[in-house]
């Protein structure tokens, strides 16, 4: 049975299989409260992995907080809400909240404290409604998918808005966090950075990866390659793969 592993004081991670990878469910606990941050992909995940792992720890979350509403983060929400009906459900995605009236969903304000010491920050770029949690006790940011590096597997460069993404990385840099915890093993640095320097490097790497991808695409466009050729060459590097959508996005970006 999958169990929560302790990452830092008050921060636990449960790895839940997702395609050939894993997606993370986090438990953030204080003396009085427990926040569940993300809910994996399916009802099966909630029922057979998350709920048993919470039982094993003897925890009932008071808050269910979504990092964003992509399938591998939100899929188990309904089942978890049934299991923990008194827990408040919080997210930034107003559209999702309007479409899912069966659950009472509260929309987060940017900078809102969920409980003392645990702050929610809206960090767009991957999706517009990404929520990063800052745990002020250990000065740790839980970034979900907001910081992509080169992405994961077939989900390379999971960026929907390059300009917002760049501004968001700057916001995260200015927090001066000690540690960073992401939801997946993003290439090339993975899911965790411990220590201020490693965390600065992780965030620098996010911009560096984007810059490398931009240069890769723009250079080849200058040389007269067509987009299919660029895509093929990019996807032959052994990095997480991208699609024509990314090539179009990068070809329109400023170098
Ligand atoms: Fe994800």
């Amino acid at each position: 049975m999958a169990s929560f592993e302790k990452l830092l004081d008050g921060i636990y991670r449960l790895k839940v299989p997702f395609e050939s990878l894993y997606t993370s469910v986090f438990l953030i606990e204080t003396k009085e409260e427990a926040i569940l941050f993300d809910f994996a992909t399916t009802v099966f995940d909630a029922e057979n992995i998350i709920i048993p792992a919470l039982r094993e720890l003897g925890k009932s979350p008071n808050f269910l907080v979504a990092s964003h509403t992509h399938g591998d983060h939100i899929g188990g929400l309904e089942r978890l809400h049934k299991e923990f009906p008194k827990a408040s459900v919080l997210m930034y995605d107003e559209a999702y909240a309007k479409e899912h009236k069966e659950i009472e969903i509260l929309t987060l304000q940017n900078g809102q404290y969920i409980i003392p010491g645990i702050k929610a920050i809206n960090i767009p770029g991957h999706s517009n409604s990404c929520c990063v949690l800052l745990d002020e006790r250990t000065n740790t940011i839980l970034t979900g998918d907001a910081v992509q590096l080169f992405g994961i597997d077939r989900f390379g460069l999971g960026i929907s808005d390059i300009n917002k993404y760049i501004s968001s990385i700057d916001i995260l840099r200015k927090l001066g966090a000690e540690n960073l915890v992401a939801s997946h093993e993003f290439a090339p640095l993975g899911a965790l950075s411990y220590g201020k320097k490693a965390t600065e490097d992780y965030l620098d790497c996010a911009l560096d990866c984007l810059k490398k991808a931009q240069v890769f695409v723009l250079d080849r466009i200058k040389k007269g390659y067509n987009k299919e050729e660029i895509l093929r060459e990019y996807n032959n590097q052994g990095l997480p793969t991208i699609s024509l959508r990314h090539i179009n996005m990068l070809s329109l970006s400023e170098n």
Side-chain angles (χ1 to χ4, degrees):
M1 188 188 111
S3 300
F4 279 95
E5 55 180 320
K6 183 176 176 178
L7 298 180
L8 291 152
D9 281 345
I11 302 177
Y12 297 81
R13 173 178 68 180
L14 177 67
K15 290 181 181 177
V16 180
F18 164 60
E19 298 196 0
S20 59
L21 313 159
Y22 71 84
T23 188
S24 297
V25 173
F26 298 102
L27 184 77
I28 299 145
E29 62 159 8
T30 64
K31 267 186 193 155
E32 292 87 22
E33 320 265 22
I35 298 170
L36 198 68
F37 187 48
D38 279 354
F39 324 113
T41 313
T42 62
V43 173
F44 178 92
D45 293 341
E47 235 163 54
N48 296 286
I49 302 175
I50 303 171
I51 293 168
L54 284 167
R55 280 203 196 110
E56 186 187 37
L57 269 189
K59 299 290 172 196
S60 292
N62 315 91
F63 298 91
L64 301 173
V65 181
S67 72
H68 62 304
T69 51
H70 290 168
D72 56 316
H73 299 259
I74 202 77
L77 173 60
E78 236 176 281
R79 180 65 187 85
L80 288 161
H81 174 62
K82 258 187 211 144
E83 189 73 16
F84 306 108
K86 288 185 184 156
S88 306
V89 180
L90 302 167
M91 64 176 67
Y92 281 115
D93 193 334
E94 285 181 42
Y96 184 96
K98 274 185 196 147
E99 279 166 25
H100 293 80
K101 298 260 195 244
E102 68 280 6
I103 305 174
E104 190 192 344
I105 297 174
L106 306 171
T107 308
L108 285 163
Q109 302 300 309
N110 192 18
Q112 179 180 335
Y113 281 90
I114 295 169
I115 52 178
I118 311 293
K119 194 183 203 177
I121 307 167
N122 183 210
I123 297 289
H126 171 62
S127 93
N128 266 342
S129 54
C130 276
C131 169
V132 166
L133 293 185
L134 169 64
D135 185 334
E136 294 178 337
R137 300 168 302 176
T138 54
N139 200 11
T140 299
I141 42 176
L142 292 102
T143 53
D145 289 358
V147 183
Q148 282 282 313
L149 311 184
F150 279 121
I152 44 166
D153 201 50
R154 68 181 177 89
F155 307 102
L157 293 177
I159 298 170
S160 63
D161 184 319
I162 288 182
N163 291 330
K164 282 184 185 168
Y165 183 77
I166 292 169
S167 308
S168 287
I169 299 296
D170 194 45
I171 291 168
L172 292 173
R173 287 267 344 223
K174 286 183 178 140
L175 292 175
E178 186 73 24
N179 312 298
L180 182 151
V181 176
S183 286
H184 308 281
E185 299 282 333
F186 291 103
L189 296 181
L192 306 173
S193 71
Y194 290 152
K196 208 161 229 174
K197 174 73 170 67
T199 298
E200 277 173 15
D201 290 348
Y202 195 101
L203 293 169
D204 285 347
C205 183
L207 293 182
D208 199 40
C209 293
L210 175 57
K211 181 59 96 184
K212 281 181 178 149
Q214 283 175 316
V215 167
F216 187 99
V217 170
L218 294 172
D219 274 6
R220 280 155 185 81
I221 286 174
K222 244 186 242 165
K223 287 176 188 156
Y225 289 34
N226 69 41
K227 288 178 180 172
E228 280 77 13
E229 288 169 329
I230 300 172
L231 185 64
R232 214 173 307 126
E233 204 189 325
Y234 184 97
N235 287 343
N236 263 332
Q237 298 178 100
L239 293 174
T241 55
I242 61 173
S243 65
L244 267 182
R245 176 186 77 79
H246 295 99
I247 300 287
N248 288 329
M249 181 177 75
L250 292 164
S251 68
L252 296 171
S253 64
E254 301 264 324
N255 191 353

